[in-house]
Amino acid sequence: MAKGNPIEEQNQLMANGSKADTVEQPEGFKKFLYNKEAGTVLGRTAKSWMQITVFYIIFYTLLAGFWVGCLAIFLNTLDPKVPRFYGKGTIIGVNPGLGYQPWIKENPDSTMIKFNIRDPESYSPFVKQMDSYLSKYENTNGTRKCDGTMSNKDAAKGDFEESCQFSLADFEKAGCSAKNGYGFKDGKPCVILSLNRLIGWEPTDYEGDSIPEQVRDRYKKGSIALHCDGTNNPDKEHIGKVTYIPSSGIDGKYYPYQVMDNYHQPIAMVKFDSLPRNQVVLVECRAFASNIVHDITSRLGLVHFEVYLQDKDPKDKTTA
């Protein structure tokens, strides 16, 4: 072997094991977890772990305090009874929509009121839904009787804390109560109509001769008149007689709406007195006040549903 050749000398030394033994081996994972010689755990000494723990306790405490402080400031700017944003220009808007009952929650996509006058089981779900919806009016705690000029405006002004109590007596007198199954067993179903709740909204009266012809003979100032008719011309011919309870519609003394304990939402009912047998009738109901706009696309101020009165043997399964 020629002297002075560094490559050959290196190979010879490694082969003999003299230099290879002096090469430092990398730390293993176990030694990283706990190094007995250095007294470290995961590469840190006890003092280092204590320092970093104290740092993060202080850091997250200050961070949590900052977050709670910001949240408290934000909550103090909110009114628990009024949404932060409502009215014109918001998603809530200023134009109320119209809803109806009975609407079966178990079949939310259906707007058809279908029943067989000779089969109590067919209209039992609708009667139960009406019972459930109207049961809240039995609780009169925190409400007051509003006679004469009294209304929810008094509560809005701060004169009272209780909302006006809503009575179901008119519906019972007209044959729309649980006693007669809300007219279903007689083939004269009663349907509840109500406006959705808009903070601060109240009906505006029509001026002069601007009252729509559909409700002109039943319109009462301060109230919301209702009118139901067939959606299409054939439906208009077959819808028959419709009775409005009360005739003037929804009484305006229950407005404006605001958040109050046990608020009684005002409603009205329509009773279909002469529906055709075994024929679907498409119904459109509209609410009328000077500040209610009707928009078919967004269903503002109106509602659509179908009524299908069957008159057949319950055992007959041939007819849908």
Side-chain angles (χ1 to χ4, degrees):
M1 179 183 68
K3 293 183 178 181
N5 190 333
I7 297 177
E8 292 184 2
E9 290 180 1
Q10 178 73 10
N11 291 338
Q12 185 64 31
L13 288 171
M14 292 181 67
N16 295 334
S18 58
K19 193 169 183 177
D21 293 340
T22 62
V23 177
E24 185 178 353
Q25 299 293 330
E27 273 191 347
F29 182 68
K30 290 183 178 180
K31 198 169 185 180
F32 169 72
L33 293 177
Y34 176 65
N35 190 326
K36 186 177 181 180
E37 291 80 7
T40 61
V41 176
L42 298 178
R44 288 184 178 274
T45 63
K47 181 180 179 181
S48 177
W49 277 115
M50 183 183 68
Q51 290 174 337
I52 196 171
T53 300
V54 171
F55 169 79
Y56 277 111
I57 289 175
I58 296 174
F59 173 76
Y60 283 113
T61 300
L62 293 175
L63 185 63
F66 176 76
W67 182 83
V68 170
C70 290
L71 181 62
I73 293 172
F74 173 74
L75 291 177
N76 284 332
T77 65
L78 299 179
D79 188 331
K81 292 187 176 181
V82 179
R84 186 175 183 85
F85 301 107
Y86 69 95
K88 189 175 182 179
T90 67
I91 192 172
I92 297 177
V94 295
N95 197 66
L98 191 63
Y100 80 95
Q101 291 288 343
W103 175 69
I104 307 302
K105 295 180 180 179
E106 290 74 20
N107 191 13
D109 295 328
S110 175
T111 56
M112 179 175 288
I113 302 174
K114 175 183 176 182
F115 65 100
N116 185 356
I117 193 174
R118 288 191 273 170
D119 182 10
E121 292 185 2
S122 68
Y123 53 80
S124 176
F126 298 108
V127 173
K128 289 181 180 179
Q129 177 59 26
M130 295 283 277
D131 284 336
S132 176
Y133 183 84
L134 295 175
S135 63
K136 60 187 177 184
Y137 296 97
E138 297 176 2
N139 179 10
T140 58
N141 295 329
T143 62
R144 59 192 171 94
K145 292 184 178 180
C146 295
D147 299 321
T149 59
M150 298 175 65
S151 70
N152 272 358
K153 287 184 180 180
D154 303 330
K157 294 175 183 177
D159 298 336
F160 294 92
E161 293 184 359
E162 301 87 3
S163 64
C164 289
Q165 185 182 129
F166 189 85
S167 174
L168 304 178
D170 289 342
F171 306 129
E172 295 177 2
K173 293 177 182 178
C176 289
S177 66
K179 294 180 181 179
N180 70 328
Y182 303 100
F184 280 88
K185 68 178 183 180
D186 301 322
K188 300 178 180 181
C190 301
V191 176
I192 297 172
L193 295 178
S194 64
L195 295 178
N196 62 335
R197 301 178 182 182
L198 292 181
I199 296 290
W201 186 90
E202 58 184 318
T204 301
D205 294 335
Y206 289 104
E207 296 182 1
D209 297 330
S210 61
I211 302 174
E213 184 179 354
Q214 301 98 311
V215 297
R216 187 168 296 170
D217 59 337
R218 296 183 288 106
Y219 180 72
K220 176 184 175 182
K221 286 188 175 182
S223 296
I224 301 101
L226 299 167
H227 179 74
C228 295
D229 203 350
T231 303
N232 305 309
N233 288 331
D235 302 307
K236 296 179 188 293
E237 295 176 3
H238 295 104
I239 193 172
K241 180 184 176 183
V242 178
T243 301
Y244 301 91
I245 314 162
S247 60
S248 58
I250 301 174
D251 198 323
K253 70 180 179 181
Y254 299 98
Y255 295 93
Y257 165 69
Q258 60 181 355
V259 178
M260 292 181 284
D261 294 336
N262 198 25
Y263 172 76
H264 279 191
Q265 183 177 8
I267 60 174
M269 288 193 189
V270 289
K271 185 177 182 182
F272 298 92
D273 293 306
S274 55
L275 287 170
R277 299 298 198 261
N278 304 313
Q279 182 173 336
V280 178
V281 179
L282 279 65
V283 180
E284 178 186 274
C285 294
R286 298 193 176 205
F288 288 87
S290 180
N291 56 341
I292 294 180
V293 177
H294 299 129
D295 189 332
I296 296 178
T297 303
S298 55
R299 299 295 177 90
L300 292 176
L302 53 87
V303 67
H304 288 90
F305 56 89
E306 304 82 36
V307 183
Y308 186 12
L309 170 58
Q310 295 180 313
D311 186 3
K312 66 175 186 177
D313 189 338
K315 298 179 182 180
D316 183 8
K317 304 298 182 181
T318 58
T319 305

